Amino acid sequence: MVATFARRAQALGLLAFCTLSAPPGHAQGALVVYCGVNEDWCRGAVTAFERATGIKVAMTRKSSGEVYAQIKAEAGNPRADIWWGGTGDPHMQAAEEGLTIEYKSAKLGEQQDWSVRQWEQSKGRAVGIYSGALGFGFNTDLVRKKGLAEPKCWADLLDPKLKDEVQVADPNSSGTSYTLLATVVQLMGEDKGFAYLKALHKNVNQYTKSGAAPAKAVALGETTVGIAFQHDLVSMVVDHAPVKVAAPCEGTGFEIGSMSIVKGARNLDNAKKFYEWALTPQAQQFGAASKQFQLPSNKTTPVDPRVPDFKKIKFIDYDYAKYGASAERRRLIARWEKDVNSLPR
């Protein structure tokens, strides 16, 4: 796997990233990365960065909610230097709680408006590196076999025929699922949104730890419907799974995958080097190279044609400042635990 990504990196020109290159065999220190994107993407990019810079990287991959919890638990003795990827809400919460530090990249002017806005709203402590639309996918073979209508809207997922046929992650650990929670509340109003989630609960067969897990379950035929970011579902389609992706007709939210430098980072200079590198178009092409189809933040990064077309998706006006705030995030998750997750199915 590592060798495969190294070859891809070389093809993309990542290994010749000149401004960060180091003479072969001359290590330039160490770096600890907590990674919130797909495992293959994490490993492939880290390998390229190591070879380009001589900096030895120790990487841990977890869901964004888990990374936030770990950074918070380690605040008195930080182990990570940089948090790369994962939904932006936990990054915003970490910024508010002083777990990450302000940093302004020389490449900030090359980023999309939503990336810069994330940086501004977090007071310089998080920057957007990609964006992805929330949606759901369904297994076309199972839909046909069960004689179901193809779901197109959030409302369609409440069909009694889908009892035990919907899978979604747990918002305690998954940034994807918290995005769903915050999206439904903003789209429908809080009380109606929770009424929807309670009704959906009857059809949920499992709340997974990882936000990408429902996409894999749909592809494998383990569940008929999976709620996930659309790019995770597209990855299953690319692998020829019988999956169809839906952008909910009522409207949907979207993530701003983010990056933050951890307060107290032991390898601060190397963290800044990685930060700068991760905002380049060369580095951002790694997403598509590892079959991850988010929209990159750097305006000059070539966009893979399989990335969902944002112009064709109906989006809500997602309030990242409000729903990324610590108190609001804790409050909504606590209400979900009390009003939804405690109910029988």
Side-chain angles (χ1 to χ4, degrees):
M1 181 65 71
V2 169
T4 299
F5 277 101
R7 289 195 295 271
R8 285 177 179 168
Q10 194 167 18
L12 291 170
L14 290 172
L15 300 184
F17 186 63
C18 60
T19 61
L20 287 175
S21 60
H26 290 273
Q28 300 297 311
L31 180 69
V32 178
V33 176
Y34 285 176
C35 184
V37 298
N38 171 273
E39 179 85 24
D40 290 345
W41 187 359
C42 292
R43 295 193 180 281
V46 161
T47 298
F49 179 76
E50 286 182 325
R51 295 194 180 191
T53 64
I55 296 170
K56 184 66 177 176
V57 179
M59 185 275 292
T60 298
R61 193 275 161 194
K62 291 187 176 183
S63 295
S64 51
E66 293 178 296
V67 174
Y68 161 75
Q70 185 164 351
I71 289 175
K72 187 176 179 67
E74 296 171 352
N77 183 26
R79 298 181 183 180
D81 300 308
I82 193 162
W83 176 7
W84 176 49
T87 51
D89 297 305
H91 281 267
M92 294 290 284
Q93 186 172 359
E96 180 190 351
E97 295 176 357
L99 300 174
T100 52
I101 65 170
E102 181 179 351
Y103 179 70
K104 184 175 183 179
S105 169
K107 297 176 179 62
L108 191 64
E110 301 174 16
Q111 310 307 307
Q112 299 279 358
D113 290 345
W114 44 262
S115 170
V116 178
R117 188 162 56 251
Q118 185 85 330
W119 181 83
E120 291 172 342
Q121 290 181 338
S122 68
K123 298 181 180 179
R125 292 173 178 158
V127 66
I129 54 174
Y130 60 79
S131 185
L134 185 68
F136 56 83
F138 54 90
N139 186 295
T140 53
D141 289 347
L142 291 179
V143 165
R144 183 171 56 253
K145 181 180 178 180
K146 297 175 185 293
L148 302 170
E150 293 190 355
K152 298 179 180 179
C153 306
W154 292 121
D156 295 338
L157 303 189
L158 303 185
D159 188 335
K161 294 179 181 179
L162 287 175
K163 182 173 176 57
D164 295 327
E165 297 292 343
V166 179
Q167 192 170 114
V168 63
D170 185 324
N172 286 285
S173 60
S174 165
T176 304
S177 191
Y178 178 74
T179 302
L180 170 66
L181 174 54
T183 292
V184 167
V185 165
Q186 292 174 82
L187 179 66
M188 304 177 187
E190 183 164 332
D191 289 342
K192 289 183 178 179
F194 271 92
Y196 172 84
L197 293 170
K198 285 191 278 189
L200 179 66
H201 180 76
K202 298 175 183 178
N203 288 350
V204 172
N205 53 45
Q206 183 182 357
Y207 290 108
T208 62
K209 194 173 184 181
S210 165
K216 295 179 182 179
V218 169
L220 293 171
E222 296 172 350
T223 189
T224 301
V225 178
I227 299 173
F229 284 117
Q230 292 181 37
H231 50 257
D232 288 328
L233 293 155
V234 170
S235 296
M236 302 299 110
V237 176
V238 169
D239 283 339
H240 308 293
V243 175
K244 189 170 182 179
V245 185
C249 69
E250 301 96 334
T252 192
F254 61 101
E255 69 166 332
I256 297 178
S258 301
M259 176 170 59
S260 308
I261 296 176
V262 177
K263 184 178 181 179
R266 299 175 186 179
N267 304 291
L268 182 57
D269 288 344
N270 289 342
K272 291 178 179 179
K273 289 178 182 178
F274 186 92
Y275 193 109
E276 294 291 339
W277 176 80
L279 291 177
T280 65
Q282 293 91 344
Q284 292 193 358
Q285 290 184 67
F286 249 118
S290 55
K291 297 182 181 179
Q292 297 299 298
F293 302 108
Q294 290 93 326
L295 181 67
S297 68
N298 191 299
K299 297 175 184 177
T300 62
T301 304
V303 178
D304 189 284
R306 292 167 292 185
V307 171
D309 187 351
F310 278 31
K311 295 178 182 178
K312 296 180 180 179
I313 300 171
K314 183 179 180 180
F315 287 111
I316 65 169
D317 186 14
Y318 195 107
D319 189 339
Y320 287 94
K322 178 178 179 179
Y323 292 95
S326 299
E328 186 66 2
R329 190 169 183 271
R330 284 196 300 267
R331 185 185 70 81
L332 286 179
I333 291 176
R335 182 171 180 183
W336 180 83
E337 282 287 351
K338 177 178 176 290
D339 291 1
V340 180
N341 199 33
S342 63
L343 297 175
R345 290 201 298 273

